[in-house]
Amino acid sequence: MLAIESGQAIENDINKLHTFYNQGVRIMTLTWKSTEWADASQEKMRHNGLTHFGKSVVKEMNKLGMIIDVSHSADKTVVDVLKTSNDPIIASHSCAKAICDHPRNFGDKLIKDIANSGGVICVNFYALHLDQKFKNEYVRRKIQSHHLSPKS
């Protein structure tokens, strides 16, 4: 099944959804980085979730029969998608905050809300999202290397 990682691919043009659909794309991850219409999980919130245009994208994906993927999306974006979408959604590569507190991971309530809507959450098998100890060490080393690097 063909998928697009990030709604940036539609370049803020809802008609491009039709172009991609006609080329066989059946899944689109709404964000990787924030778009002009949806907030991503690892960036400062700019839109408080989905904008009006973002909700239009979700509705158009429903009409086309495209699967909405909320991996990389901010929690508020996911909540807005759940309120807007008539169809179940997926999180194709996300994990649980209860296992590892990473911004891309979802809390228990959001996981239950996705499941209760008929949606599916798949697991991202990357230690940074699955192992709190590994994540803490990764962050510590990143901060340490930042402080040790020469200033420009």
mmCIF file of all heavy atoms in Angstrom, residues 54-84:
data_model
loop_
_atom_site.group_PDB
_atom_site.id
_atom_site.type_symbol
_atom_site.label_atom_id
_atom_site.label_comp_id
_atom_site.label_asym_id
_atom_site.label_seq_id
_atom_site.Cartn_x
_atom_site.Cartn_y
_atom_site.Cartn_z
ATOM 1 N N GLY A 54 -6.997 22.150 7.760
ATOM 2 C CA GLY A 54 -6.611 20.812 8.191
ATOM 3 C C GLY A 54 -7.819 19.901 8.358
ATOM 4 O O GLY A 54 -7.794 18.721 7.980
ATOM 5 N N LYS A 55 -8.894 20.450 8.908
ATOM 6 C CA LYS A 55 -10.130 19.667 9.041
ATOM 7 C C LYS A 55 -10.698 19.332 7.659
ATOM 8 O O LYS A 55 -11.230 18.238 7.452
ATOM 9 C CB LYS A 55 -11.137 20.426 9.899
ATOM 10 C CG LYS A 55 -10.688 20.516 11.352
ATOM 11 C CD LYS A 55 -11.585 21.390 12.180
ATOM 12 C CE LYS A 55 -10.995 21.503 13.600
ATOM 13 N NZ LYS A 55 -11.716 22.444 14.435
ATOM 14 N N SER A 56 -10.547 20.246 6.712
ATOM 15 C CA SER A 56 -10.989 19.979 5.334
ATOM 16 C C SER A 56 -10.176 18.847 4.719
ATOM 17 O O SER A 56 -10.719 18.011 3.986
ATOM 18 C CB SER A 56 -10.855 21.234 4.468
ATOM 19 O OG SER A 56 -11.688 22.249 4.936
ATOM 20 N N VAL A 57 -8.876 18.809 5.012
ATOM 21 C CA VAL A 57 -8.014 17.727 4.516
ATOM 22 C C VAL A 57 -8.501 16.395 5.068
ATOM 23 O O VAL A 57 -8.633 15.411 4.324
ATOM 24 C CB VAL A 57 -6.527 17.975 4.887
ATOM 25 C CG1 VAL A 57 -5.683 16.743 4.606
ATOM 26 C CG2 VAL A 57 -5.979 19.187 4.140
ATOM 27 N N VAL A 58 -8.791 16.346 6.358
ATOM 28 C CA VAL A 58 -9.280 15.116 6.987
ATOM 29 C C VAL A 58 -10.585 14.668 6.331
ATOM 30 O O VAL A 58 -10.749 13.496 5.964
ATOM 31 C CB VAL A 58 -9.459 15.311 8.510
ATOM 32 C CG1 VAL A 58 -10.258 14.177 9.138
ATOM 33 C CG2 VAL A 58 -8.102 15.457 9.180
ATOM 34 N N LYS A 59 -11.516 15.583 6.142
ATOM 35 C CA LYS A 59 -12.806 15.243 5.529
ATOM 36 C C LYS A 59 -12.627 14.765 4.088
ATOM 37 O O LYS A 59 -13.308 13.821 3.652
ATOM 38 C CB LYS A 59 -13.748 16.448 5.590
ATOM 39 C CG LYS A 59 -14.222 16.748 6.994
ATOM 40 C CD LYS A 59 -15.068 17.999 7.037
ATOM 41 C CE LYS A 59 -15.438 18.322 8.478
ATOM 42 N NZ LYS A 59 -16.154 19.588 8.612
ATOM 43 N N GLU A 60 -11.715 15.394 3.358
ATOM 44 C CA GLU A 60 -11.475 14.988 1.970
ATOM 45 C C GLU A 60 -10.827 13.603 1.914
ATOM 46 O O GLU A 60 -11.155 12.789 1.051
ATOM 47 C CB GLU A 60 -10.602 16.019 1.253
ATOM 48 C CG GLU A 60 -10.622 15.905 -0.249
ATOM 49 C CD GLU A 60 -11.993 16.170 -0.857
ATOM 50 O OE1 GLU A 60 -12.815 16.892 -0.257
ATOM 51 O OE2 GLU A 60 -12.245 15.645 -1.960
ATOM 52 N N MET A 61 -9.926 13.335 2.851
ATOM 53 C CA MET A 61 -9.327 12.002 2.913
ATOM 54 C C MET A 61 -10.406 10.957 3.201
ATOM 55 O O MET A 61 -10.392 9.867 2.618
ATOM 56 C CB MET A 61 -8.214 11.953 3.970
ATOM 57 C CG MET A 61 -6.964 12.731 3.559
ATOM 58 S SD MET A 61 -5.679 12.727 4.833
ATOM 59 C CE MET A 61 -5.103 11.019 4.720
ATOM 60 N N ASN A 62 -11.364 11.287 4.078
ATOM 61 C CA ASN A 62 -12.495 10.382 4.337
ATOM 62 C C ASN A 62 -13.285 10.127 3.064
ATOM 63 O O ASN A 62 -13.619 8.973 2.748
ATOM 64 C CB ASN A 62 -13.441 10.975 5.384
ATOM 65 C CG ASN A 62 -12.959 10.878 6.816
ATOM 66 O OD1 ASN A 62 -13.523 11.513 7.694
ATOM 67 N ND2 ASN A 62 -11.928 10.104 7.089
ATOM 68 N N LYS A 63 -13.588 11.179 2.299
ATOM 69 C CA LYS A 63 -14.365 11.024 1.054
ATOM 70 C C LYS A 63 -13.641 10.123 0.064
ATOM 71 O O LYS A 63 -14.268 9.319 -0.618
ATOM 72 C CB LYS A 63 -14.613 12.387 0.404
ATOM 73 C CG LYS A 63 -15.655 13.225 1.080
ATOM 74 C CD LYS A 63 -15.834 14.547 0.339
ATOM 75 C CE LYS A 63 -16.572 15.549 1.177
ATOM 76 N NZ LYS A 63 -16.571 16.886 0.554
ATOM 77 N N LEU A 64 -12.319 10.286 -0.016
ATOM 78 C CA LEU A 64 -11.530 9.501 -0.964
ATOM 79 C C LEU A 64 -11.311 8.060 -0.496
ATOM 80 O O LEU A 64 -11.005 7.187 -1.305
ATOM 81 C CB LEU A 64 -10.166 10.163 -1.186
ATOM 82 C CG LEU A 64 -10.167 11.454 -1.981
ATOM 83 C CD1 LEU A 64 -8.803 12.138 -1.886
ATOM 84 C CD2 LEU A 64 -10.544 11.187 -3.432
ATOM 85 N N GLY A 65 -11.451 7.833 0.801
ATOM 86 C CA GLY A 65 -11.157 6.513 1.349
ATOM 87 C C GLY A 65 -9.693 6.344 1.698
ATOM 88 O O GLY A 65 -9.197 5.222 1.797
ATOM 89 N N MET A 66 -8.993 7.470 1.900
ATOM 90 C CA MET A 66 -7.591 7.422 2.315
ATOM 91 C C MET A 66 -7.515 7.249 3.832
ATOM 92 O O MET A 66 -8.316 7.825 4.572
ATOM 93 C CB MET A 66 -6.848 8.699 1.913
ATOM 94 C CG MET A 66 -6.640 8.834 0.426
ATOM 95 S SD MET A 66 -5.775 10.372 -0.016
ATOM 96 C CE MET A 66 -4.095 9.924 0.421
ATOM 97 N N ILE A 67 -6.546 6.473 4.276
ATOM 98 C CA ILE A 67 -6.338 6.257 5.704
ATOM 99 C C ILE A 67 -5.537 7.425 6.272
ATOM 100 O O ILE A 67 -4.508 7.808 5.721
ATOM 101 C CB ILE A 67 -5.599 4.926 5.946
ATOM 102 C CG1 ILE A 67 -6.458 3.760 5.436
ATOM 103 C CG2 ILE A 67 -5.255 4.759 7.423
ATOM 104 C CD1 ILE A 67 -5.715 2.433 5.389
ATOM 105 N N ILE A 68 -6.027 7.956 7.372
ATOM 106 C CA ILE A 68 -5.365 9.073 8.047
ATOM 107 C C ILE A 68 -4.410 8.514 9.092
ATOM 108 O O ILE A 68 -4.816 7.773 9.980
ATOM 109 C CB ILE A 68 -6.400 9.997 8.706
ATOM 110 C CG1 ILE A 68 -7.323 10.585 7.636
ATOM 111 C CG2 ILE A 68 -5.711 11.084 9.527
ATOM 112 C CD1 ILE A 68 -8.597 11.181 8.194
ATOM 113 N N ASP A 69 -3.139 8.878 8.968
ATOM 114 C CA ASP A 69 -2.091 8.427 9.889
ATOM 115 C C ASP A 69 -1.682 9.610 10.760
ATOM 116 O O ASP A 69 -1.293 10.662 10.246
ATOM 117 C CB ASP A 69 -0.897 7.897 9.083
ATOM 118 C CG ASP A 69 0.174 7.255 9.942
ATOM 119 O OD1 ASP A 69 0.152 7.421 11.183
ATOM 120 O OD2 ASP A 69 1.057 6.615 9.356
ATOM 121 N N VAL A 70 -1.778 9.445 12.076
ATOM 122 C CA VAL A 70 -1.476 10.542 13.001
ATOM 123 C C VAL A 70 -0.121 10.410 13.694
ATOM 124 O O VAL A 70 0.172 11.181 14.613
ATOM 125 C CB VAL A 70 -2.603 10.714 14.051
ATOM 126 C CG1 VAL A 70 -3.895 11.179 13.385
ATOM 127 C CG2 VAL A 70 -2.815 9.441 14.856
ATOM 128 N N SER A 71 0.711 9.464 13.259
ATOM 129 C CA SER A 71 2.064 9.407 13.815
ATOM 130 C C SER A 71 2.757 10.734 13.533
ATOM 131 O O SER A 71 2.541 11.331 12.476
ATOM 132 C CB SER A 71 2.856 8.256 13.188
ATOM 133 O OG SER A 71 2.374 7.026 13.659
ATOM 134 N N HIS A 72 3.537 11.202 14.459
ATOM 135 C CA HIS A 72 4.244 12.489 14.422
ATOM 136 C C HIS A 72 3.341 13.670 14.777
ATOM 137 O O HIS A 72 3.825 14.792 14.884
ATOM 138 C CB HIS A 72 4.909 12.782 13.062
ATOM 139 C CG HIS A 72 5.988 11.851 12.671
ATOM 140 N ND1 HIS A 72 7.262 11.977 13.132
ATOM 141 C CD2 HIS A 72 5.975 10.770 11.856
ATOM 142 C CE1 HIS A 72 8.017 11.015 12.603
ATOM 143 N NE2 HIS A 72 7.253 10.259 11.840
ATOM 144 N N SER A 73 2.049 13.457 14.907
ATOM 145 C CA SER A 73 1.131 14.563 15.182
ATOM 146 C C SER A 73 1.094 14.896 16.667
ATOM 147 O O SER A 73 1.211 14.013 17.524
ATOM 148 C CB SER A 73 -0.283 14.216 14.714
ATOM 149 O OG SER A 73 -0.338 14.082 13.319
ATOM 150 N N ALA A 74 0.904 16.180 16.961
ATOM 151 C CA ALA A 74 0.726 16.622 18.346
ATOM 152 C C ALA A 74 -0.568 16.028 18.892
ATOM 153 O O ALA A 74 -1.515 15.757 18.144
ATOM 154 C CB ALA A 74 0.673 18.148 18.398
ATOM 155 N N ASP A 75 -0.621 15.841 20.203
ATOM 156 C CA ASP A 75 -1.815 15.268 20.826
ATOM 157 C C ASP A 75 -3.079 16.027 20.434
ATOM 158 O O ASP A 75 -4.104 15.420 20.112
ATOM 159 C CB ASP A 75 -1.679 15.256 22.353
ATOM 160 C CG ASP A 75 -0.679 14.230 22.856
ATOM 161 O OD1 ASP A 75 -0.114 13.468 22.044
ATOM 162 O OD2 ASP A 75 -0.459 14.198 24.086
ATOM 163 N N LYS A 76 -3.033 17.361 20.456
ATOM 164 C CA LYS A 76 -4.213 18.161 20.114
ATOM 165 C C LYS A 76 -4.613 17.937 18.659
ATOM 166 O O LYS A 76 -5.799 17.923 18.327
ATOM 167 C CB LYS A 76 -3.937 19.642 20.384
ATOM 168 C CG LYS A 76 -5.102 20.569 20.057
ATOM 169 C CD LYS A 76 -6.340 20.296 20.904
ATOM 170 C CE LYS A 76 -7.391 21.375 20.798
ATOM 171 N NZ LYS A 76 -8.217 21.348 19.608
ATOM 172 N N THR A 77 -3.642 17.741 17.782
ATOM 173 C CA THR A 77 -3.955 17.445 16.385
ATOM 174 C C THR A 77 -4.713 16.126 16.306
ATOM 175 O O THR A 77 -5.718 16.018 15.592
ATOM 176 C CB THR A 77 -2.665 17.378 15.541
ATOM 177 O OG1 THR A 77 -1.997 18.651 15.627
ATOM 178 C CG2 THR A 77 -2.959 17.060 14.089
ATOM 179 N N VAL A 78 -4.257 15.125 17.048
ATOM 180 C CA VAL A 78 -4.925 13.817 17.042
ATOM 181 C C VAL A 78 -6.349 13.946 17.571
ATOM 182 O O VAL A 78 -7.288 13.391 16.992
ATOM 183 C CB VAL A 78 -4.132 12.772 17.863
ATOM 184 C CG1 VAL A 78 -4.854 11.434 17.878
ATOM 185 C CG2 VAL A 78 -2.719 12.621 17.318
ATOM 186 N N VAL A 79 -6.528 14.705 18.642
ATOM 187 C CA VAL A 79 -7.871 14.925 19.197
ATOM 188 C C VAL A 79 -8.765 15.566 18.134
ATOM 189 O O VAL A 79 -9.905 15.132 17.921
ATOM 190 C CB VAL A 79 -7.807 15.797 20.472
ATOM 191 C CG1 VAL A 79 -9.187 16.266 20.901
ATOM 192 C CG2 VAL A 79 -7.129 15.030 21.603
ATOM 193 N N ASP A 80 -8.247 16.566 17.435
ATOM 194 C CA ASP A 80 -9.028 17.227 16.381
ATOM 195 C C ASP A 80 -9.359 16.265 15.247
ATOM 196 O O ASP A 80 -10.470 16.300 14.701
ATOM 197 C CB ASP A 80 -8.282 18.440 15.835
ATOM 198 C CG ASP A 80 -8.233 19.605 16.807
ATOM 199 O OD1 ASP A 80 -8.922 19.561 17.848
ATOM 200 O OD2 ASP A 80 -7.490 20.569 16.523
ATOM 201 N N VAL A 81 -8.407 15.409 14.888
ATOM 202 C CA VAL A 81 -8.658 14.418 13.828
ATOM 203 C C VAL A 81 -9.766 13.471 14.270
ATOM 204 O O VAL A 81 -10.690 13.181 13.502
ATOM 205 C CB VAL A 81 -7.374 13.641 13.459
ATOM 206 C CG1 VAL A 81 -7.698 12.466 12.538
ATOM 207 C CG2 VAL A 81 -6.361 14.559 12.799
ATOM 208 N N LEU A 82 -9.702 12.996 15.503
ATOM 209 C CA LEU A 82 -10.729 12.076 16.005
ATOM 210 C C LEU A 82 -12.111 12.721 15.988
ATOM 211 O O LEU A 82 -13.107 12.057 15.697
ATOM 212 C CB LEU A 82 -10.381 11.592 17.417
ATOM 213 C CG LEU A 82 -9.242 10.588 17.506
ATOM 214 C CD1 LEU A 82 -8.790 10.410 18.960
ATOM 215 C CD2 LEU A 82 -9.654 9.248 16.901
ATOM 216 N N LYS A 83 -12.177 14.020 16.285
ATOM 217 C CA LYS A 83 -13.464 14.726 16.268
ATOM 218 C C LYS A 83 -13.957 14.979 14.843
ATOM 219 O O LYS A 83 -15.157 15.093 14.620
ATOM 220 C CB LYS A 83 -13.322 16.079 16.995
ATOM 221 C CG LYS A 83 -13.188 15.963 18.483
ATOM 222 C CD LYS A 83 -13.018 17.334 19.113
ATOM 223 C CE LYS A 83 -12.827 17.243 20.615
ATOM 224 N NZ LYS A 83 -12.530 18.566 21.202
ATOM 225 N N THR A 84 -13.043 15.073 13.888
ATOM 226 C CA THR A 84 -13.387 15.452 12.519
ATOM 227 C C THR A 84 -13.624 14.259 11.608
ATOM 228 O O THR A 84 -14.502 14.283 10.745
ATOM 229 C CB THR A 84 -12.258 16.341 11.923
ATOM 230 O OG1 THR A 84 -12.034 17.448 12.793
ATOM 231 C CG2 THR A 84 -12.619 16.841 10.539
#
